[in-house]
Amino acid sequence: MSDKVYIFDTTLRDGEQSPGATMNMAEKITMARQLEKLGVDIIEAGFPAASQGDFDAVTKIAESVGDIQVAGLCRALISDIDRAYDAVKHARNPRIHTFIATSDIHMKHKFNKEPEQILEMARKAVRHAASLTPNVEFSAEDASRSRWDFLAQVVEAAIEEGATTINIPDTVGYAQPEEFGKLITYLLETVPNSDKAVFSVHCHNDLGLGVANTLAAIKAGARQAEVTLSGIGERAGNAALEEVIMALHTRKDYYDVETSIVTEHLFPSCRRLATTIGQPISPYKAIVGANAFAHESGIHQDGMLKNRQTYEIMTPESIGKKGTSIVIGKHSGRNALGSKLTEMGYHLDDTQIAAVFKAIKTLADKKEEIFDEDVEALVLEEAYRIHDLYRVKELSVFSGTAGVSPHAAIVLEDFSKGSEDPVQIQEVGFGGGPINAVFSTINKMVGRDPKLELYSVNAVTGGTDAQGAVMVHITDNGVKSIGRGSDEDIIVASAKAYINAINRIERMKQEKQNA
Ligand code: KIV
Ligand code: ZN
């Protein structure tokens, strides 16, 4: 029988901490459920000591999933470890993931400590974590730039103290595949108790080698891969889950390992993430990009018609690239929508289904075909928005050629006074263009003047009647926030995204006050 490679997904931790990928609680929970359906073995749900929001999210995810292991990241500090355990202990299978850097450059400049002191901190941290749960992972941050002999010493100590998984991160994406594979072989052969732990790798993509390094390490004997959907993560991201999985799957002859991933859920999972964070999948993205299975050249098309295997090493069906079986349209009833949502992996209550149903009916009046992406965008819009303090009720914009001063008239529902019934506020304002007019009018209404750092608009599907998905990044008094909104009218989508970003700032302010 082939060995199993455990898939440790860190989309909700390393992925979520990257710019533009912030998710609210409901979005995180729905992603965690999707990851469970995909078949990952471990979800890293967050970094509980980082903030109250992270702690709450990890707790909620731990409570919401089934048998899947839920890891909480923590520095090698007793207080961090306790905080992580307090959050993950609600899971059926909790894991503590503690880390400390082992490279000379990190030990000297981040900690100003000698290697012996770091070794002692690692020992103490793992010992404490192992007193709370038998499922302890230890990571030697910046392992690929650490001295191999010192790294081996730390790894041996961590296993002695009770770590059952040893993670070797290529934190800065510096390693080269052959060299990284050799490091894993060296550790497996040199560390006397290496057979007592699963060796794991966590590769960043700074030189575009995250997946290659992960695969080289698996070939050398690593049996856990830390990955993220679509490769999101710090800087250039992490090794992409779908790429690692399809390499192992397509080249089973070469790797001879198994995973528990249900490959047919790969594309729906990446699409779910893209819709949630409002960042579309690049058409050239391996495995899940729109062009990944498109054959354009005549010679290729001819070959494909004769035998698909001429140019196709895997099928679109194997990654779940096909429509789901229930098609939603103008005449679909609520039950059909309910079944569709379940098929897509959403668990919504009746009120949420009713809100999505109403939005789909409105959209179906304007749009010929309703795609899964449309349903997903509406679910996020209607069911998973963070609790709004302001909501767009009415909006009209006037703009045109030179000589016309673009202006916006907006009515907002204001829930900020704390009552269930919102107060309506209205305002008219001018701007250099229609979006500028909308944003500056909203600023007047909410009494803020944030700096717009980024504005992007993408079509949710193809077709001229597609919904627009807008993402904004704003900074207000040093606080950064991201907002997303979708609508068949891109100006309305822009207003929703801007209000969403402001709601998040208000929410952070409230959380700070409560804390
Ligand atoms: O990149 C890294 O080293 C990490 C560790 C905390 C595992 O994310
Ligand atoms: Zn990382």
Side-chain angles (χ1 to χ4, degrees):
M1 219 174 88
S2 314
D3 270 6
K4 168 159 178 163
V5 171
Y6 291 89
I7 301 300
F8 176 114
D9 181 278
T10 182
T11 304
L12 294 171
R13 199 277 298 168
D14 214 325
E16 206 261 348
Q17 77 193 40
S18 67
T22 319
M23 294 175 225
N24 67 34
M25 178 86 84
E27 290 165 348
K28 284 184 186 175
I29 292 170
T30 204
M31 265 331 293
R33 291 207 176 114
Q34 180 68 31
L35 289 166
E36 194 169 22
K37 195 165 159 194
L38 174 63
V40 311
D41 300 280
I42 306 113
I43 304 177
E44 186 161 57
F47 191 162
S51 69
Q52 185 62 39
D54 250 49
F55 179 86
D56 294 341
V58 177
T59 307
K60 273 271 173 295
I61 291 169
E63 286 167 353
S64 312
V65 294
D67 287 336
I68 192 167
Q69 297 177 51
V70 179
L73 183 70
C74 44
R75 290 169 297 180
L77 299 173
I78 303 296
S79 55
D80 260 40
I81 296 169
D82 287 341
R83 191 86 175 130
Y85 185 63
D86 277 346
V88 294
K89 70 180 181 202
H90 303 278
R92 284 189 214 159
N93 282 305
R95 171 180 289 198
I96 296 177
H97 178 192
T98 185
F99 73 100
I100 194 161
T102 51
S103 64
D104 286 345
I105 191 157
H106 277 229
M107 290 190 290
K108 180 158 183 268
H109 297 288
K110 263 171 54 178
F111 297 111
N112 193 19
K113 286 199 191 304
E114 293 302 319
E116 295 68 35
Q117 292 172 292
I118 296 290
L119 179 67
E120 198 38 47
M121 281 176 78
R123 271 195 183 281
K124 211 170 138 195
V126 175
R127 195 181 311 140
H128 183 65
S131 73
L132 301 171
T133 168
N135 190 348
V136 176
E137 171 168 340
F138 171 75
S139 281
E141 193 191 6
D142 206 18
S144 55
R145 291 195 301 166
S146 303
R147 279 183 288 108
W148 286 20
D149 54 346
F150 177 62
L151 179 62
Q153 237 184 309
V154 178
V155 167
E156 182 184 350
I159 300 174
E160 249 173 42
E161 298 295 346
T164 45
T165 302
I166 293 293
N167 185 37
I168 306 299
D170 181 25
T171 302
V172 289
Y174 177 78
Q176 299 298 303
E178 200 185 339
E179 168 195 56
F180 198 56
K182 281 188 184 150
L183 172 60
I184 300 302
T185 307
Y186 166 82
L187 291 171
L188 288 170
E189 287 175 356
T190 318
V191 173
N193 49 6
S194 66
D195 59 324
K196 306 256 174 339
V198 171
F199 276 65
S200 163
V201 288
H202 173 115
C203 300
H204 279 273
N205 209 25
D206 300 64
L207 294 173
L209 293 171
V211 171
N213 285 331
T214 304
L215 293 170
I218 291 173
K219 188 73 181 158
R223 289 296 175 258
Q224 176 178 287
E226 298 200 356
V227 286
T228 59
L229 287 175
S230 295
I232 66 166
E234 281 282 313
R235 306 180 309 279
N238 290 62
L241 181 151
E242 65 282 5
E243 294 178 23
V244 170
I245 292 301
M246 288 317 281
L248 297 179
H249 191 81
T250 310
R251 295 303 310 274
K252 185 154 186 344
D253 60 316
Y254 183 72
Y255 293 103
D256 192 21
V257 291
E258 309 273 355
T259 71
S260 351
I261 296 295
V262 184
T263 61
E264 288 76 12
H265 289 312
L266 285 172
F267 178 66
S269 303
C270 291
R271 188 185 58 202
R272 170 77 50 88
L273 175 71
T275 330
T276 307
I277 62 174
Q279 296 185 23
I281 302 172
S282 152
Y284 298 104
K285 171 78 187 58
I287 318 294
V288 291
N291 291 352
F293 294 92
H295 299 271
E296 190 68 33
S297 98
I299 296 175
H300 288 208
Q301 286 177 350
D302 183 56
M304 284 289 288
L305 289 171
K306 290 179 174 140
N307 182 333
R308 295 185 74 88
Q309 285 179 0
T310 48
Y311 288 102
E312 197 171 72
I313 57 168
M314 57 198 155
T315 63
E317 291 76 21
S318 67
I319 60 148
K321 213 168 176 187
K322 57 176 168 44
T324 43
S325 54
I326 304 165
V327 178
I328 291 294
K330 208 178 171 124
H331 305 292
S332 307
R334 238 166 100 149
N335 285 347
L337 175 66
S339 311
K340 172 84 183 177
L341 292 170
T342 311
E343 193 187 60
M344 291 176 77
Y346 289 109
H347 303 262
L348 303 188
D349 61 30
D350 287 349
T351 325
Q352 289 172 318
I353 295 180
V356 176
F357 185 68
K358 195 168 153 220
I360 284 184
K361 287 281 165 191
T362 311
L363 183 64
D365 281 338
K366 303 179 189 161
K367 194 169 185 287
E368 240 172 66
E369 271 182 285
I370 306 284
F371 297 97
D372 287 2
E373 285 87 343
D374 290 314
V375 176
E376 228 147 45
L378 291 180
V379 169
L380 294 168
E381 194 65 55
E382 301 300 327
Y384 292 142
R385 283 200 151 259
I386 62 161
H387 176 67
D388 287 333
L389 290 177
Y390 300 104
R391 206 175 287 162
V392 181
K393 181 148 195 287
E394 286 168 27
L395 179 151
S396 72
V397 175
F398 189 79
S399 76
T401 51
V404 170
S405 302
H407 58 271
I410 302 178
V411 181
L412 290 185
E413 290 179 326
D414 178 355
F415 294 83
S416 65
K417 307 291 172 282
S419 105
E420 288 276 297
D421 294 323
V423 178
Q424 290 205 4
I425 46 175
Q426 56 191 45
E427 189 62 77
V428 180
F430 291 83
I435 304 289
N436 183 237
V438 168
F439 291 179
S440 51
T441 308
I442 292 175
N443 287 350
K444 269 202 270 177
M445 299 172 91
V446 302
R448 290 187 176 274
D449 190 15
K451 182 164 179 249
L452 181 68
E453 311 275 3
L454 181 140
Y455 169 86
S456 77
V457 57
N458 290 290
V460 171
T461 60
T464 48
D465 58 357
Q467 290 191 84
V470 172
M471 179 162 67
V472 298
H473 289 203
I474 59 173
T475 307
D476 188 52
N477 285 326
V479 181
K480 286 180 191 300
S481 175
I482 288 168
R484 291 182 280 267
S486 60
D487 199 276
E488 55 279 13
D489 180 322
I490 56 162
I491 303 211
V492 177
S494 305
K496 285 181 178 175
Y498 197 69
I499 284 287
N500 182 233
I502 285 172
N503 282 329
R504 284 177 201 260
I505 288 199
E506 294 286 351
R507 170 88 159 223
M508 280 184 255
K509 197 174 97 187
Q510 277 185 355
E511 272 178 8
K512 237 190 201 151
Q513 276 164 359
N514 294 344

